Amino acid sequence: MNNGGKISLKYLSTLILTLLFFCVTVNSSARYYRNRDKPPPDVEDTIPKKNISSLKDTVIIDSALLDTLPFHSDSVRLQVDTIHAPYSKDSLDAPISYSAQDSVVLDVPTKNITLYNKANTKFKDIDLDAYNIRMDQANSLLLATYARDTSGAMIGRPKMTQAETKMESDSMVFNMKTKKGITINTFTQSGEMYVMGEKMKKISTNDYYAFRGRFTTCNLDTPHFAFRTNKMKLINKQMAITGPVHPEFEGVPIPIYIPFGYFPISQGRHSGFLAPTFDVSSQYGLGLQGLGYYKVLSDNFDVAFRADIYSYGGYTLHLTPEYRVRYRYSGRMNFIYQNIRILNNSGEAAYTSSKTYNLQWAHNVDSKAHPGQNFSANLNLMSASFNKYVLTNPTAVYNNQISSSIAYSKTFEDGRYNLTVNANHNQDNISGLVNINAPSIGFTAITIYPFAPKDYVGIPKWYQKLGIGLNSNISGATSYYDSMASFSHVLDTFKWGAQNNVPITLALPQLGFLQITPGVSFQNRILSMKYNYAWDSLNQKLDTLPTEKGVFFANNVAFSLSLSTAIFGTFQHFGKNSKILGIRHTVRPTISFSYSPDLSKSYYTENIQYTKEGNKQSFNRFNGNIYSAFSQGSFGGLSFGIDNNIEMKVKSKTDTSAGANEKVKLIDGFGFTGSYNYLADSFKLSPIYFYLRSTLFKNINISATTSLNPYQHDTLGININKYAWEGKGFSLGRIVGGNISISTSFKSKPIDPKKNEQDQKNIVDNQMPMTIDEQQAELAYIRSNPAEFVDFNIAWSLNVSFAYSFTNTFVVNRYVTQTSSSLILNGDFNLTEKWKVGFNCYYDVKNLVMNNLTTFLSRDMHCWQLSINVTPVGVYRSFNITISPKSGILRDLHINRSRTFY
């Protein structure tokens, strides 16, 4: 080393010891410094950092590191003078950390260091691994290459990582100052794209040029498919731009060339055209579905426009904006306009035309954004005939009940007061009737205890538990038919109303096994319309006279006293070796006594004839308001009910320790409810409602309800004031109707549990808010195209749902039982590791008719996927076959064939 033209003897002796240290040390690791703030590199590079006690004038080397030298003392102290030497221009601006398993060779004259066998070098954000690495300090170069073992196999192929970019090559040359380099036979990955080039030139951290490049989304060394080009520029995680390019499959080139290629490989969102799929329909003609453009407007907002175009002149337009502000709110809107033109089956005209629309909006606010308040929207407005023409969803035509909701809530004074503002909408697509309930404002004050002290001392007095609350509501509503929708008609049919409820409760101490709760409730309702009725003897019908508009009041007072308790029964005699330890039955009876005086005489008409036979009854003058008037007559009676549940205690299957057991619910609840009004002049006993709910084996859900009418009826089916068990014979009453539903699901354990957990996490992280109907539409699309969403990680699955309902309707002097029952089945299973078959079935059990059947077959082709969907039964029958890459960046590169029959 130069030092003003002279060489220090102490420095020379240190250099000799350093060279000797390199020759006898295997598996060495050192740091090579060449900057102004460090001591001379020839000294520091030979000294392990942990043994340096001082780097000013003295260096201590532990004898354990020099056990091959003829020294007998515990340590060797080398005195090194401080050298003030000028540094050459080839100095680096950061340290280099290097290591090798075999040896490290230092060539002082050429300033080269060569590492052999599992060599590693770190410089700034660059991490290089190879069998052989040479550091040329004079030229600031890193050179890496591989070696071959005795069998000729390649070992120690160079691998370089810089930031998030990884490269693997046969050889690498990298300039540590300019950050440029040249590699041979290089393989790298950028996002979902795998790129290989015979020769690649790195000109910056993210920019590369490649000669004779190949890129693909298949991660095999010999990919199933790829695109070949002689010239390519790659901007890491942004884009790949090529010259003339052609595809190849299984290494066989396809003679289809395009003059240039642009492949977006950026992570996240980016604008671009949306490629369509080709469709053939006997009713719509030839079509292109999903043609459109996606535009990213900002980091928080984007919009997609798509169109479905058919040769018979029909088209559908989709406008879908989405927005998201992390930790604050997110939302999605979808507007669809249909201009339908399809073949007319009746023969009256060549085509049938229709124009419909659908507007959907979903909005969610993060609960942490504004603690104490929340806003959500779930809006769905559509034309009554919209679902008839949804070609991509064969089950949409069966969805005739549409609903929407918008809600805002806020709490005040640490939760003491709560304000809610809601708007709701529902419509029947069969009748076209639309009901809108907006606004609906509610204010609630939690129960306050006026006689309770701020700080309790001892047991509180009974009167200190007297509580008073407040519930107030203001609502507006309108109803109209879809064909008569207009702003003036909406205002004409708009109604409003309000109600207030002041409950007064007293929580008395438990009296033995009884819990006694008295209460008083005052209710007030404000109404906006009053109706009058009269019998039209000429036309023999009941007429509604002109409506009176104004402000009307209705009041009610109720007093109550409720008693409740719980009764337990157990059975434990199952034997010592039985897995069942015991069964417990819990019974919870409730009885409530209540009294309400008759304050509603002015709310009802006198008895008016309403049938040709002369039957008479009084009618509620406020029946058409949002809040109706209170029930006619005084009420003094009791409400009763009994709820039961049955549990079983068994020995634990997973925990074999003494005393370990599990609780299994056999029946979650079953019982009945009813009431008896002893002040009523007739029909004192109400219908009795029975229910049952259970989850057997934690997997089979069962629910059932029915109601019992305890009265006899006349020849017209009208109840008469006579119990069913009076007179000839004995009967508990007439079952009015009921329903039962059973559902369950079975599936195998995941083949790879970690993959299943990661998939679930990705779904949760990327979930955007959707309206209920959007969720139903998406589920319907999945059911219609299940092969696109198969999970080979689940070997098999089966879902079963059965529903049965019945009603007893009076028809021609007798009651007729009308029933409906349906069975829904869907499942799939792996034929092999790569083949999966499945089905979705909707079966009408009553009429023995299959309403809809969809089957699918899917093939996992590693980087591609084959899906075949067939709907042989349904309003829309279709066939679809698609072969497409799995990668998101190549999702539009697919082969699709679809046929739809109406």
Side-chain angles (χ1 to χ4, degrees):
M1 181 175 292
N2 294 331
N3 185 15
K6 297 181 181 181
I7 300 178
S8 170
L9 291 178
K10 291 184 179 181
Y11 178 79
L12 183 60
S13 63
T14 303
L15 180 60
I16 294 173
L17 286 174
T18 303
L19 292 175
L20 182 59
F21 172 75
F22 269 104
C23 293
V24 300
T25 304
V26 181
N27 295 324
S28 60
S29 178
R31 290 189 177 273
Y32 192 78
Y33 290 94
R34 293 284 298 182
N35 56 39
R36 303 177 186 276
D37 299 325
K38 300 294 181 179
D42 298 288
V43 177
E44 186 180 350
D45 286 351
T46 62
I47 305 172
K49 186 175 180 180
K50 64 180 181 178
N51 296 314
I52 299 177
S53 61
S54 176
L55 289 178
K56 295 182 179 179
D57 297 313
T58 304
V59 178
I60 301 176
I61 303 179
D62 195 298
S63 61
L65 298 175
L66 300 174
D67 55 0
T68 57
L69 299 180
F71 294 102
H72 301 285
S73 61
D74 292 338
S75 61
V76 178
R77 182 178 298 273
L78 300 178
Q79 300 292 335
V80 181
D81 291 341
T82 302
I83 303 173
H84 302 282
Y87 287 85
S88 61
K89 296 180 180 181
D90 59 0
S91 299
L92 299 176
D93 58 353
I96 298 178
S97 175
Y98 57 89
S99 64
Q101 182 175 348
D102 191 355
S103 58
V104 179
V105 177
L106 171 64
D107 189 348
V108 176
T110 61
K111 298 182 179 179
N112 284 350
I113 298 178
T114 306
L115 315 175
Y116 292 97
N117 195 2
K118 295 184 179 180
N120 174 265
T121 301
K122 294 182 176 65
F123 175 69
K124 290 187 175 180
D125 61 343
I126 299 173
D127 192 342
L128 178 62
D129 292 286
Y131 180 85
N132 183 297
I133 299 178
R134 180 161 61 92
M135 293 179 288
D136 185 349
Q137 181 187 350
N139 298 307
S140 300
L141 296 177
L142 281 176
L143 301 92
T145 185
Y146 63 92
R148 294 187 181 275
D149 58 16
T150 55
S151 63
M154 184 184 298
I155 58 174
R157 197 162 184 253
K159 298 179 181 179
M160 185 177 74
T161 302
Q162 183 177 14
E164 297 181 0
T165 303
K166 297 181 180 180
M167 302 178 65
E168 185 174 345
S169 309
D170 287 352
S171 63
M172 294 183 180
V173 178
F174 180 75
N175 191 303
M176 292 179 285
K177 283 189 174 181
T178 63
K179 305 298 186 297
K180 297 180 180 180
I182 295 178
T183 60
I184 305 298
N185 290 334
T186 302
F187 174 85
T188 185
Q189 179 181 359
S190 181
E192 294 181 282
M193 187 75 73
Y194 299 93
V195 182
M196 194 279 285
E198 289 188 13
K199 181 181 290 187
M200 294 187 70
K201 182 178 182 181
K202 178 181 172 67
I203 61 173
S204 67
T205 302
N206 294 314
D207 296 344
Y208 305 83
Y209 286 96
F211 174 68
R212 293 181 180 176
R214 179 192 73 191
F215 50 95
T216 179
T217 57
C218 182
N219 60 358
L220 298 180
D221 293 337
T222 303
H224 292 107
F225 80 102
F227 295 91
R228 290 280 188 176
T229 182
N230 285 335
K231 297 179 180 179
M232 177 173 59
K233 180 178 181 180
L234 177 68
I235 302 176
N236 187 39
K237 296 187 177 181
Q238 293 188 31
M239 68 185 73
I241 305 172
T242 72
V245 61
H246 70 277
E248 68 174 21
F249 292 90
E250 297 290 350
V252 178
I254 306 299
I256 301 176
Y257 283 81
I258 56 177
F260 64 92
Y262 172 81
F263 300 86
I265 56 178
S266 60
Q267 303 296 307
R269 307 170 305 152
H270 54 275
S271 302
F273 287 96
L274 303 174
T277 58
F278 184 71
D279 183 46
V280 179
S281 172
S282 60
Q283 297 295 114
Y284 291 76
L286 302 179
L288 294 176
Q289 293 182 346
L291 175 65
Y293 188 79
Y294 172 75
K295 177 63 177 177
V296 178
L297 300 175
S298 68
D299 292 340
N300 307 110
F301 189 72
D302 55 51
V303 62
F305 175 79
R306 295 186 302 275
D308 304 333
I309 306 172
Y310 295 94
S311 59
Y312 291 166
Y315 61 86
T316 303
L317 304 179
H318 305 255
L319 182 66
T320 310
E322 293 186 9
Y323 54 90
R324 172 180 287 183
V325 178
R326 189 178 293 273
Y327 308 121
R328 294 189 64 186
Y329 57 83
S330 59
R332 182 176 187 265
M333 185 176 289
N334 187 23
F335 178 75
I336 304 175
Y337 175 77
Q338 292 179 335
N339 187 354
I340 302 300
R341 183 178 170 86
I342 61 177
L343 289 179
N344 192 319
N345 293 328
S346 64
E348 298 177 356
Y351 297 98
T352 298
S353 299
S354 177
K355 296 180 180 180
T356 62
Y357 73 93
N358 178 216
L359 175 63
Q360 298 175 344
W361 175 45
H363 180 89
N364 281 334
V365 176
D366 194 305
S367 59
K368 302 182 184 66
H370 302 285
Q373 63 179 340
N374 185 45
F375 176 78
S376 64
N378 201 325
L379 180 68
N380 186 21
L381 303 175
M382 68 170 60
S383 303
S385 58
F386 177 85
N387 280 339
K388 295 180 181 179
Y389 305 107
V390 181
L391 191 62
T392 57
N393 184 2
T395 62
V397 68
Y398 303 110
N399 185 17
N400 296 308
Q401 300 298 323
I402 308 301
S403 61
S404 306
S405 65
I406 300 175
Y408 170 81
S409 64
K410 183 176 178 60
T411 57
F412 305 89
E413 300 291 334
D414 299 328
R416 295 180 181 178
Y417 309 103
N418 183 44
L419 173 68
T420 60
V421 182
N422 300 305
N424 300 287
H425 145 269
N426 64 80
Q427 71 182 68
D428 188 332
N429 283 346
I430 296 178
S431 64
L433 180 62
V434 179
N435 299 309
I436 297 177
N437 185 8
S440 179
I441 304 173
F443 178 79
T444 302
I446 66 170
T447 303
I448 61 174
Y449 300 91
F451 301 110
K454 292 184 178 180
D455 299 319
Y456 280 108
V457 178
I459 300 175
K461 306 295 183 181
W462 65 270
Y463 59 85
Q464 294 177 345
K465 293 185 177 182
L466 180 68
I468 302 175
L470 172 65
N471 296 309
S472 297
N473 294 277
I474 302 174
S475 298
T478 183
S479 298
Y480 60 90
Y481 285 93
D482 180 76
S483 57
M484 301 175 61
S486 67
F487 185 71
S488 59
H489 185 72
V490 170
L491 291 180
D492 245 7
T493 58
F494 183 79
K495 298 176 290 186
W496 63 272
Q499 72 172 355
N500 300 286
N501 182 20
V502 181
I504 303 174
T505 60
L506 180 61
L508 296 177
Q510 187 166 333
L511 182 61
F513 57 88
L514 287 177
Q515 178 65 53
I516 303 175
T517 307
V520 179
S521 175
F522 171 77
Q523 288 182 294
N524 164 262
R525 293 176 181 174
I526 305 175
L527 313 172
S528 61
M529 292 185 180
K530 186 177 182 180
Y531 299 86
N532 295 301
Y533 304 91
W535 174 254
D536 185 351
S537 57
L538 180 63
N539 297 314
Q540 294 291 295
K541 66 175 184 177
L542 183 68
D543 284 342
T544 302
L545 301 179
T547 304
E548 298 180 32
K549 292 187 176 181
V551 179
F552 309 95
F553 297 90
N555 302 302
N556 186 54
V557 178
F559 305 89
S560 65
L561 178 68
S562 63
L563 295 86
S564 62
T565 187
I567 304 172
F568 302 93
T570 60
F571 181 80
Q572 298 176 325
H573 304 289
F574 289 97
K576 296 181 179 179
N577 299 325
S578 175
K579 294 183 179 180
I580 302 176
L581 301 178
I583 293 179
R584 185 174 73 170
H585 178 201
T586 304
V587 183
R588 292 185 173 87
T590 59
I591 298 177
S592 177
F593 299 93
S594 59
Y595 170 75
S596 177
D598 185 9
L599 304 179
S600 61
K601 289 184 178 180
S602 60
Y603 312 150
Y604 288 80
T605 65
E606 300 293 334
N607 287 336
I608 300 175
Q609 180 181 347
Y610 67 98
T611 65
K612 296 178 181 179
E613 290 75 17
N615 300 91
K616 295 183 178 182
Q617 73 174 41
S618 61
F619 290 88
N620 188 345
R621 296 179 184 273
F622 302 101
N623 196 37
N625 282 269
I626 296 178
Y627 303 106
S628 178
F630 297 98
S631 300
Q632 188 178 15
S634 58
F635 180 86
L638 61 87
S639 300
F640 54 88
I642 297 179
D643 182 63
N644 304 259
N645 69 68
I646 300 177
E647 296 178 328
M648 180 173 62
K649 185 180 291 186
V650 298
K651 294 180 180 179
S652 176
K653 295 180 180 180
T654 57
D655 190 351
T656 58
S657 61
N661 52 66
E662 296 178 354
K663 288 184 179 180
V664 178
K665 288 187 176 182
L666 300 180
I667 300 179
D668 295 339
F670 70 95
F672 63 89
T673 60
S675 63
Y676 184 85
N677 182 6
Y678 52 80
L679 292 183
D681 56 359
S682 60
F683 303 107
K684 296 184 177 183
L685 181 62
S686 72
I688 309 300
Y689 297 92
F690 296 87
Y691 62 88
L692 181 144
R693 61 185 185 277
S694 177
T695 304
L696 295 179
F697 312 110
K698 301 181 180 180
N699 197 34
I700 302 177
N701 300 310
I702 303 174
S703 64
T705 61
T706 187
S707 60
L708 183 71
N709 188 340
Y711 296 100
Q712 299 181 21
H713 61 86
D714 60 15
T715 57
L716 297 178
I718 300 175
N719 289 340
I720 60 177
N721 189 27
K722 189 175 183 180
Y723 292 117
W725 50 83
E726 295 179 354
K728 296 181 180 180
F730 176 78
S731 173
L732 291 177
R734 185 182 73 255
I735 296 179
V736 178
N739 63 79
I740 182 173
S741 62
I742 304 173
S743 63
T744 185
S745 62
F746 307 94
K747 67 179 180 179
S748 65
K749 293 182 179 180
I751 299 174
D752 184 358
K754 293 183 179 179
K755 181 180 182 299
N756 188 67
E757 292 176 1
Q758 184 61 39
D759 291 344
Q760 294 296 327
K761 182 178 182 299
N762 293 338
I763 292 175
V764 174
D765 292 344
N766 299 321
Q767 183 68 40
M768 284 289 292
M770 293 188 294
T771 65
I772 295 176
D773 292 275
E774 282 182 319
Q775 296 174 13
Q776 294 298 324
E778 185 170 290
L779 291 174
Y781 181 81
I782 293 174
R783 287 192 292 264
S784 303
N785 303 273
E788 299 181 21
F789 303 91
V790 295
D791 185 0
F792 286 92
N793 197 38
I794 303 296
W796 62 268
S797 66
L798 177 64
N799 301 305
V800 182
S801 178
F802 173 78
Y804 174 82
S805 63
F806 68 94
T807 57
N808 287 323
T809 306
F810 191 84
V811 179
V812 190
N813 298 329
R814 66 188 182 94
Y815 277 91
V816 177
T817 301
Q818 298 178 344
T819 64
S820 65
S821 58
S822 61
L823 178 66
I824 301 176
L825 297 172
N826 63 78
D828 57 65
F829 61 92
N830 292 352
L831 293 174
T832 65
E833 186 181 353
K834 301 296 183 181
W835 282 98
K836 182 181 282 287
V837 64
F839 67 95
N840 294 316
C841 174
Y842 301 83
Y843 187 76
D844 186 342
V845 179
K846 175 189 175 183
N847 300 314
L848 302 179
V849 174
M850 187 174 293
N851 291 331
N852 185 267
L853 174 64
T854 299
T855 61
F856 72 87
L857 181 67
S858 182
R859 173 68 161 88
D860 184 358
M861 304 168 64
H862 186 257
C863 50
W864 286 63
Q865 182 157 314
L866 165 69
S867 60
I868 301 174
N869 299 285
V870 181
T871 304
V873 180
V875 176
Y876 288 99
R877 303 180 182 183
S878 62
F879 170 84
N880 173 272
I881 180 171
T882 302
I883 303 177
S884 60
K886 291 182 180 179
S887 171
I889 63 175
L890 298 178
R891 67 180 58 183
D892 296 327
L893 181 67
H894 60 263
I895 302 172
N896 175 268
R897 173 65 171 170
S898 298
R899 293 293 299 271
T900 305
F901 308 93
Y902 181 72

